[in-house]
Amino acid sequence: MPELKDGCVTPAAGPIVPESEANIPDLGTIPAKEVKTVLARVGKEAIDFEANAFVADEGFKPIKLSDHKGKWIVLCFYPGDFTFV
Amino acid sequence: MAAVAALYKDLQALGVEVMSVSTDSRFVHKIWQHEELSKMVDGGVPFPMLSDAGGKIGKIYGVYDEAAGVDIRGRFIIDPDFVIRAMEVLTPEVGRNPNELVRQIKAFQHVRKTGEVTPSGWEPGDTTLTPGPDLVGKVWEVWKP
């Protein structure tokens, strides 16, 4: 089977956390990607991540926060598409 | 999100890159853009709309609501050194004020350029303060709310 280019379960890398910061207990059962700790703090370096994105006029592509390192970045989270506010 | 898109030109003029993030898939982002956002704002949302499947990114930024399974409203300003300068987190029912976002970016850019600090409500052209021993106890002489 050929791999789907834009399949609905194509994962992006998610948070890219230095191992020392992630503080993941080595229990074998916990996937290494499981990050529960809040790491974002004002005055501290931003945590990089990669996510699948939709970009107008370009379509679907993975985007990293650090793609824009060296520029001012505004990162906006919101509860969901088609919500009212 | 549409409100931020409406101010996108101002943000671009300030050299700012915008990214929006929700737990929706990129496919839903595309349809939202086509069906609704493009009718609210000319040309729709011009910045990348990211998909935070499973809230993994929201968790490390402190905005993931476990019960609802969504990222609540959170806005972060990151400077060219990749340092988080500001964050604003709201529960979902109240929208943000993008004008305040623009004001804060202008203030942070001014501080970065000049080393001065900006009092509350500062707008470009307003009085700034230069911290130092001489200013202690004398702020009232140069600035009042």
Side-chain angles (χ1 to χ4, degrees):
Chain A
M1 282 263 287
E3 203 173 315
L4 285 175
K5 200 165 154 252
D6 274 315
C8 58
V9 291
T10 311
I16 301 164
V17 184
E19 272 181 40
S20 58
E21 281 186 62
N23 198 21
I24 298 158
D26 185 18
L27 298 175
T29 51
I30 297 172
K33 283 281 175 185
E34 194 69 20
V35 179
K36 290 241 166 97
T37 327
V38 176
L39 296 170
R41 294 272 185 278
V42 288
K44 301 284 181 203
E45 187 156 313
I47 309 304
D48 196 15
F49 57 80
E50 184 196 64
N52 289 315
F54 167 70
V55 189
D57 302 326
E58 289 184 48
F60 302 128
K61 63 181 203 178
I63 299 256
K64 272 188 187 166
L65 183 67
S66 58
D67 288 346
H68 296 305
K69 205 169 184 171
K71 301 182 84 174
W72 289 87
I73 305 169
V74 168
L75 180 64
C76 283
F77 293 88
Y78 62 101
D81 297 347
F82 296 103
T83 55
F84 309 105
V85 180
Chain B
M1 212 42 56
V4 177
L7 283 175
Y8 186 64
K9 281 208 171 74
D10 295 350
L11 293 168
Q12 264 192 320
L14 294 168
V16 176
E17 296 290 339
V18 180
M19 295 179 187
S20 68
V21 187
S22 80
T23 52
D24 299 279
S25 77
R26 60 202 187 285
F27 306 117
V28 180
H29 289 332
K30 178 175 193 275
I31 300 304
W32 190 32
Q33 169 89 305
H34 286 221
E35 290 298 315
E36 188 163 56
L37 293 174
S38 59
K39 293 162 192 165
M40 283 179 178
V41 188
D42 234 8
V45 165
F47 43 79
M49 302 171 78
L50 278 56
S51 172
D52 180 20
K56 285 183 289 184
I57 300 165
K59 273 178 202 162
I60 59 169
Y61 279 84
V63 296
Y64 185 67
D65 182 326
E66 294 274 353
V70 299
D71 291 328
I72 57 173
R73 276 175 221 291
R75 178 269 280 161
F76 298 78
I77 299 173
I78 299 166
D79 77 10
D81 293 324
F82 217 53
V83 171
I84 299 173
R85 285 293 153 193
M87 54 172 78
E88 181 185 53
V89 182
L90 285 71
T91 52
E93 58 276 8
V94 171
R96 291 174 278 239
N97 182 347
N99 293 314
E100 173 61 4
L101 166 65
V102 171
R103 190 197 72 82
Q104 286 182 14
I105 291 168
K106 285 178 177 171
F108 276 113
Q109 289 184 341
H110 184 86
V111 168
R112 191 177 164 90
K113 206 167 78 181
T114 63
E116 300 164 352
V117 298
T118 64
S120 69
W122 182 88
E123 297 278 356
D126 289 354
T127 302
T128 56
L129 304 174
T130 306
D134 293 345
L135 190 63
V136 177
K138 306 278 187 199
V139 172
W140 65 274
E141 288 180 4
V142 289
W143 184 80
K144 290 182 181 70

